Amino acid sequence: MIDALPPSASELFTLTDRGLYCEAGDFYIDPWRGVPKALITHAHGDHARWGSEQYLASEQSKPVLERRLGANSEISSLPYGETLQINGVKVSFHPAGHVLGSSQIRIEKQGQVCVVSGDYKLDSDRTCENFEVVRCHTFVSESTFGLPIYHWPDQQDVFDSMNRWWQENAAEERPSVIFAYGFGKAQRVLSGLNPEIGPIYCHGAVEKINAAYRECEIDLPPTEYAGRADDKKDWSRAMIIAPPSAQTTTWLRKFGNYASAFASGWMTVRGQRRRRNIERGFVLSDHADWPGLLDAIEQTRAERVYVTHGYKRPLVHWLNNHGYQAAELDTMYEGEQDDDRSGDDEETTAP
């Protein structure tokens, strides 16, 4: 067991009040305060925060980052696998399989290699590059679903179940609304829908990110911004994708007697569906489940593992009991949560 950053790791990064800092390269990884140079694993709000002077991310992450951080932000990008020297530190980005452009950041100095994973999953995903195993001495891992109860079902089974549910609702002339996080999860849900069942509409926060995916040539079914529809619109066969932040707003009134569902790894626990007041839960996560976390860590061959967010303690406990040197890191990352709490659809707050 390790209680603090050992010398070999501290040569590559230090935990500061602004985030993970690489002193040798003079850059931060996913800082939670503004810094001169920020390397970003992916564009979710808890990892990519506004206020830094310069940003560096993967090439596929840039379109979403530009939409989220603003056109005036200085954002550079690097293709997956290409190495950049920053003050003598080798830096490269490798697919994390989490969302479009998500990366593990590999940093190397004097033969010591550290990989900061951000968020990741091992399951295949039509909307982003699959997770790449990167060998390292030190691996910084998430643990959003770091409990043995979390085992994801087969992805295609989940999509088949969604489409059957949609078909049944359409037969009863009820529109279907699936709440899914606006960046990543919503597009993954879209990729599994059968557009022959009916038209697909999206909340503004989702449709904006859909455009970034299409810009990166990710194949999504045709969608339409739900806000453009008039009051006489027939929604009876429609599928509507909306962020969780829309669930308690008047924006939903236009759909009448709709059927509701939520797509998330949290739907593994039955009580979550009841607490969210929805009719159906689909277990679909963009994070590694318990077997995925253990598999990823084993494949890196890392000697040391630092766990940043989620169920940190159970994972660290398991790792220390199975031959790893593991410790928790207190960061401000949040894992699977509503990344669109700001709304971003003018109709969300309309009367």
Side-chain angles (χ1 to χ4, degrees):
M1 181 182 294
I2 47 180
D3 297 322
L5 297 178
S8 55
S10 61
E11 290 174 2
L12 291 173
F13 71 86
T14 304
L15 183 62
T16 74
D17 61 355
R18 294 185 174 189
L20 298 177
Y21 177 57
C22 178
E23 183 175 3
D26 193 21
F27 58 78
Y28 290 78
I29 297 177
D30 292 351
W32 41 84
R33 292 183 183 175
V35 298
K37 192 173 189 64
L39 274 58
I40 302 299
T41 60
H42 64 287
H44 273 147
D46 57 329
H47 291 262
R49 298 172 190 261
W50 184 86
S52 291
E53 295 174 22
Q54 296 179 325
Y55 296 89
L56 177 64
S58 74
E59 207 166 47
Q60 284 197 319
S61 201
K62 190 175 179 181
V64 181
L65 274 177
E66 288 176 337
R67 284 167 170 79
R68 301 206 137 191
L69 298 176
N72 293 329
S73 297
E74 186 176 336
I75 304 172
S76 303
S77 64
L78 200 63
Y80 282 137
E82 188 169 302
T83 299
L84 178 69
Q85 292 269 359
I86 304 179
N87 299 323
V89 176
K90 292 181 180 177
V91 173
S92 54
F93 292 77
H94 302 267
H98 175 54
V99 294
L100 178 66
S102 62
S103 304
Q104 305 169 80
I105 299 179
R106 181 187 187 276
I107 54 177
E108 177 182 356
K109 183 175 184 291
Q110 296 178 342
Q112 281 292 313
V113 177
C114 175
V115 171
V116 179
S117 67
D119 292 327
Y120 64 92
K121 73 173 181 294
L122 275 63
D123 294 343
S124 64
D125 185 337
R126 301 167 191 165
T127 62
C128 65
E129 296 269 352
N130 288 338
F131 178 86
E132 175 187 329
V133 175
V134 183
R135 300 273 177 87
C136 57
H137 300 95
T138 302
F139 186 60
V140 181
S141 176
E142 64 141 326
S143 188
T144 302
F145 292 100
L147 287 177
I149 62 169
Y150 291 109
H151 289 245
W152 305 146
D154 180 81
Q155 176 182 241
Q156 190 55 52
D157 289 346
V158 176
F159 289 149
D160 290 345
S161 183
M162 278 184 187
N163 284 315
R164 282 195 299 274
W165 175 76
W166 180 14
Q167 184 81 66
E168 290 165 3
N169 294 332
E172 296 176 1
E173 299 187 341
R174 293 184 73 195
S176 303
V177 178
I178 293 183
F179 297 103
Y181 306 118
F183 169 34
K185 181 66 61 59
Q187 290 71 36
R188 192 174 173 203
V189 167
L190 283 170
S191 75
L193 293 177
N194 177 5
E196 293 182 1
I197 297 174
I200 303 173
Y201 296 89
C202 292
H203 184 278
V206 174
E207 193 68 357
K208 180 177 67 174
I209 301 298
N210 291 347
Y213 272 66
R214 291 180 174 119
E215 190 177 317
C216 291
E217 300 183 346
I218 303 298
D219 187 25
L220 298 177
T223 59
E224 188 176 330
Y225 172 43
R228 292 200 184 97
D230 60 39
D231 293 340
K232 297 180 180 178
K233 180 75 179 178
D234 177 9
W235 300 99
S236 60
R237 298 190 64 82
M239 167 65 80
I240 300 105
I241 308 296
S245 57
Q247 189 178 1
T248 57
T249 69
T250 55
W251 180 80
L252 291 165
R253 287 181 183 171
K254 69 172 76 174
F255 307 119
N257 181 29
Y258 64 87
S260 62
F262 197 98
S264 170
W266 301 120
M267 294 299 103
T268 301
V269 180
R270 289 186 179 181
Q272 286 284 347
R273 190 179 69 183
R274 176 173 45 79
R275 281 192 286 276
R276 290 179 182 274
N277 192 29
I278 53 171
E279 298 173 42
R280 186 71 180 266
F282 296 106
V283 179
L284 188 72
S285 178
D286 292 330
H287 296 260
D289 59 3
W290 176 256
L293 290 168
L294 302 186
D295 189 20
I297 291 168
E298 181 183 11
Q299 291 191 66
T300 65
R301 306 278 181 89
E303 300 157 3
R304 296 170 294 276
V305 180
Y306 294 95
V307 183
T308 56
H309 58 290
Y311 288 104
K312 295 184 291 185
R313 186 163 298 175
L315 180 58
V316 167
H317 180 75
W318 190 97
L319 293 170
N320 280 320
N321 284 336
H322 288 79
Y324 293 90
Q325 298 178 61
E328 299 178 37
L329 282 185
D330 290 328
T331 65
M332 297 185 70
Y333 312 135
E334 299 177 11
E336 188 154 308
Q337 41 82 32
D338 189 357
D339 206 43
D340 300 284
R341 284 168 287 190
S342 61
D344 209 10
D345 188 311
E346 59 184 12
E347 286 191 306
T348 296
T349 55

